[in-house]
Amino acid sequence: MKTLNKSDLEEALKLCKGAFISAAGFSLVINILQLVPTIYMLQLYDRVVPTGNHSTLVMLTLIMMVLFVTMGTLEWVRSQILVRVSTRLETLLNERLFKVAYKQALYSGGQRASSQPLDDLTSLRQFMTGNGLFAFFDAPWLPIYIALMFVFHSMYGWMAVFTAVLLIIVAIVQEKATSKMLGEANNLAMAGRGLVNKNLRNAEVIESMGMLNNIQKRWLKGTNQVLVLQATASSRAGLISATSKLIRLSSQSLILAVGAYLVIENEITSGLMIGGSVLLGRALAPIDIVIGSWKGFISARGQYARLNELLRQIPADAERMTLPTPEGSFQFESAVVAPPGAKTAVLKGITLNIAKGDVVGVIGPSGAGKSTFARALLGIWPCNQGKIRLDGADVFTWNREELGPHIGYLPQDIELFEGTISENIARFGDMDPEKVVNAAKMADVHNLILHLPEGYDTMIGASGGNLSGGQRQRVGLARALYGEPRIVVLDEPNSNLDEIGEAALGNAIQRLKQKQTTIIIITHRNNVLANVDKLLILNDGVVSVYGPKEQVIAHLQQQQAQAQAAQTAAIAN
């Protein structure tokens, strides 16, 4: 059972725990074998050179080479373990993080659309296969090397302790001096990349109105801040790294001097003098590598923290029982809806019913909450208070994969996707050519598609390729009508249509009505309202009037007549 306090990232790391333990075990053996050069040197100085025994030299050398090959093999196996762990980690999390990035964009209305979570996961995986992580596996064996230095001589041991403490202090100073600055620089850099991506998507607007220099100056301001922060942090890190190298090299040379003194005093052999220097270098190497790769460690730590926070903020969807195919009736129960992250509600206590097969026109001034109404009705944005029910069930709790095929949605801003026209119409699922053609015919875009160079196999991009705004809208309408959905929501469906397109839209609505499809039409243009049965007038997020079209029109006419009468009376007085 999943621990409630753990994020998906922590759970994934827990699943990889056995592999990490194996890597630590290999590190133990590898670090023991790292003593081979020191022991070999001691044997040469203290046994082979004084005796001049060639067979001992050959045998020791053969043993040394076998142990070196073993150590190299174990290091390769350890690296492969970490490569596979990092690959498994990405495999366990990439689908989950794709949905997190998608929901982040969905709940922000596209304002926070970013692939940053997936980029963070990739960078974290790459860090796990680098030298920095190997150093963290090797660093815990430092006490063993220091203990061995004490076996050589107490002065060796205390010198190793003093040097290790100095390097650890340097590492702490580096953390304090650079981590906050590098974290801030990374956050600014991410914000800058997001700004560039948004600007590139609006290149036509920038070019047409000569905004490039102003936009560029704004981007450069943030970029210069990043450069200043990174340069300052790198300068500090460079000084600290140079200090670390100075301490390590000086200590290795000074320990030779100490060894020479001890040899002169006949307290150790000449082999121990050289061996102590080599062993100290090996003991301090992991700390030196950690200091050298500190920037990568800080980045990985930031990536880990961001992923953990995101995975906790946006939990995985709970598995839900399959519900029957929706009929298309909606009940708004004092629904209060605000855009995700906003404090002010856009819809304020909406209560109304939409029956199966109703064709409802939603009108009102700009900012009245019409598009929010559509998003809430479809379960894209949840209610802050109250409920919106589809066939009695909270629409936000429906399984989206199961509900989606029964819904057709034409948003105000048409977005097509990289792929063929047929794939776009079929929603990139299992394609049924007959359904694709039927949907295209209902949207009156079939003949237009046939006249394209590759017909239904014509490749288009996210912006629609060479399709005009009206053509994109009609392809989007065909996508909404694919598979004969039970509920169709059209947000400004005729904003880019000419007279022929509007006639086709009217015909499509009539066909859907005959099939008892529930249709919601949000519009500023009155032409399409000829096809609706009911009218909903929103004003400042509340229902102004709702009911059968004739009654609503009569009510509006009565209000208008009363207003004119009041105005006439005021003028007469």
Side-chain angles (χ1 to χ4, degrees):
M1 180 181 290
K2 181 186 277 191
T3 305
L4 294 177
N5 294 330
K6 291 185 179 293
S7 71
D8 292 81
L9 177 56
E10 291 168 327
E11 289 289 343
L13 288 172
K14 185 178 178 180
L15 290 175
C16 299
K17 180 180 177 181
F20 284 119
I21 293 174
S22 298
F26 278 102
S27 295
L28 168 62
V29 180
I30 290 167
N31 277 275
I32 292 173
L33 292 175
Q34 292 280 6
L35 299 173
V36 169
T38 304
I39 296 171
Y40 178 71
M41 189 177 299
L42 288 174
Q43 296 302 311
L44 290 184
Y45 273 96
D46 296 340
R47 293 182 60 183
V48 175
V49 173
T51 62
N53 192 324
H54 291 84
S55 59
T56 302
L57 174 62
V58 171
M59 185 56 64
L60 287 173
T61 303
L62 286 174
I63 293 172
M64 177 200 68
M65 291 305 299
V66 169
L67 292 175
F68 275 174
V69 170
T70 303
M71 183 174 67
T73 303
L74 292 177
E75 286 189 333
W76 177 80
V77 171
R78 181 178 67 169
S79 69
Q80 292 303 300
I81 288 174
L82 292 178
V83 167
R84 294 190 179 188
V85 167
S86 64
T87 302
R88 187 185 181 197
L89 188 66
E90 182 152 349
T91 303
L92 287 169
L93 291 173
N94 55 11
E95 289 186 17
R96 171 83 169 90
L97 284 172
F98 181 89
K99 290 182 179 178
V100 165
Y102 159 77
K103 285 189 176 182
Q104 195 177 28
L106 178 68
Y107 295 160
S108 66
Q111 296 300 311
R112 295 175 61 193
S114 172
S115 63
Q116 187 64 45
L118 295 170
D119 295 339
D120 281 344
L121 179 62
T122 299
S123 298
L124 192 61
R125 174 179 60 79
Q126 291 170 345
F127 173 78
M128 290 178 63
T129 58
N131 289 331
L133 191 61
F134 291 149
F136 280 96
F137 274 112
D138 293 337
W141 306 109
L142 174 64
I144 296 175
Y145 290 119
I146 291 178
L148 191 57
M149 296 285 285
F150 273 104
V151 172
F152 283 9
H153 195 279
S154 61
M155 288 184 67
Y156 270 11
W158 288 116
M159 190 169 181
V161 169
F162 177 73
T163 307
V165 169
L166 272 182
L167 287 176
I168 291 171
I169 290 173
V170 168
I172 294 171
V173 169
Q174 185 173 38
E175 158 72 7
K176 300 294 184 183
T178 62
S179 60
K180 184 177 180 181
M181 196 170 292
L182 285 173
E184 187 178 347
N186 288 338
N187 290 335
L188 284 173
M190 285 190 298
R193 286 195 296 271
L195 182 63
V196 168
N197 289 334
K198 288 181 182 178
N199 291 341
L200 291 177
R201 288 197 295 268
N202 293 282
E204 291 182 2
V205 174
I206 293 171
E207 180 68 15
S208 63
M209 294 190 285
M211 296 168 57
L212 179 60
N213 286 337
N214 294 333
I215 294 294
Q216 190 176 42
K217 286 177 184 177
R218 188 178 180 188
W219 170 73
L220 283 173
K221 183 179 179 181
T223 302
N224 289 336
Q225 285 182 301
V226 172
L227 290 175
V228 168
L229 288 169
Q230 287 183 338
T232 305
S234 297
S235 178
R236 293 179 181 179
L239 177 61
I240 293 169
S241 181
T243 304
S244 165
K245 188 174 183 180
L246 173 64
I247 293 171
R248 184 170 57 83
L249 293 177
S250 299
S251 64
Q252 285 184 266
S253 296
L254 288 173
I255 204 168
L256 279 174
V258 172
Y261 169 78
L262 294 174
V263 170
I264 293 171
E265 296 295 320
N266 293 319
E267 294 190 32
I268 62 172
T269 64
S270 57
L272 285 175
M273 179 185 73
I274 303 298
S277 177
V278 173
L279 189 59
L280 181 64
R282 175 68 203 118
L284 301 178
I287 302 177
D288 200 48
I289 293 173
V290 167
I291 293 172
S293 58
W294 197 253
K295 187 175 180 180
F297 172 73
I298 290 173
S299 296
R301 186 172 62 184
Q303 290 150 5
Y304 178 85
R306 283 195 299 272
L307 290 175
N308 247 345
E309 183 181 0
L310 260 182
L311 290 168
R312 284 197 174 105
Q313 284 179 349
I314 306 178
D317 293 331
E319 290 188 12
R320 301 184 184 279
M321 189 188 78
T322 299
L323 294 173
T325 299
E327 294 292 328
S329 63
F330 288 91
Q331 300 83 41
F332 284 68
E333 301 173 354
S334 302
V336 176
V337 182
K343 296 180 180 179
T344 304
V346 176
L347 298 184
K348 306 166 186 176
I350 301 289
T351 298
L352 57 85
N353 292 322
I354 299 173
K356 170 189 174 183
D358 278 351
V359 182
V360 180
V362 182
I363 59 177
S366 296
K370 300 186 296 297
S371 293
T372 300
F373 180 86
R375 294 186 180 106
L377 179 136
L378 293 171
I380 297 173
W381 288 356
C383 291
N384 298 64
Q385 297 176 27
K387 294 289 183 185
I388 300 175
R389 299 185 182 278
L390 170 59
D391 294 352
D394 186 343
V395 69
F396 193 71
T397 63
W398 279 70
N399 184 311
R400 306 310 301 184
E401 297 297 321
E402 295 174 357
L403 179 61
H406 304 294
I407 286 181
Y409 178 42
L410 181 67
Q412 190 170 351
D413 299 318
I414 304 299
E415 290 288 349
L416 300 178
F417 302 96
E418 297 284 346
T420 64
I421 287 180
S422 58
E423 287 174 328
N424 270 274
I425 293 175
R427 309 181 184 187
F428 291 88
D430 294 332
M431 191 183 305
D432 185 328
E434 185 177 350
K435 289 182 179 180
V436 169
V437 171
N438 287 339
K441 286 181 176 179
M442 283 189 71
D444 197 31
V445 75
H446 174 66
N447 290 330
L448 182 150
I449 294 172
L450 293 181
H451 282 83
L452 293 174
E454 300 294 330
Y456 280 91
D457 296 318
T458 300
M459 292 293 297
I460 57 176
S463 61
N466 294 322
L467 300 181
S468 68
Q471 290 169 338
R472 288 202 308 272
Q473 195 158 38
R474 285 158 73 177
V475 171
L477 177 61
R479 180 179 62 190
L481 302 180
Y482 178 78
E484 299 185 355
R486 309 299 292 268
I487 303 152
V488 174
V489 178
L490 308 174
D491 193 351
E492 301 290 352
N494 53 346
S495 59
N496 293 309
L497 297 181
D498 54 18
E499 291 183 7
I500 297 176
E502 287 211 18
L505 174 63
N507 291 334
I509 294 172
Q510 290 300 322
R511 291 173 194 163
L512 291 171
K513 285 178 68 173
Q514 292 173 4
K515 296 176 181 179
Q516 284 290 288
T517 303
T518 303
I519 308 170
I520 312 297
I521 304 172
I522 298 166
T523 183
H524 279 103
R525 299 169 69 175
N526 294 331
N527 295 358
V528 73
L529 295 179
N531 301 289
V532 306
D533 303 321
K534 293 181 178 180
L535 273 178
L536 167 63
I537 301 176
L538 290 175
N539 195 356
D540 194 26
V542 298
V543 176
S544 178
V545 188
Y546 175 59
K549 181 174 67 175
E550 292 76 13
Q551 293 181 15
V552 171
I553 291 174
H555 177 76
L556 292 176
Q557 289 173 343
Q558 183 180 3
Q559 282 186 330
Q560 188 177 11
Q562 290 174 349
Q564 287 177 347
Q567 185 178 8
T568 302
I571 293 172
N573 293 331

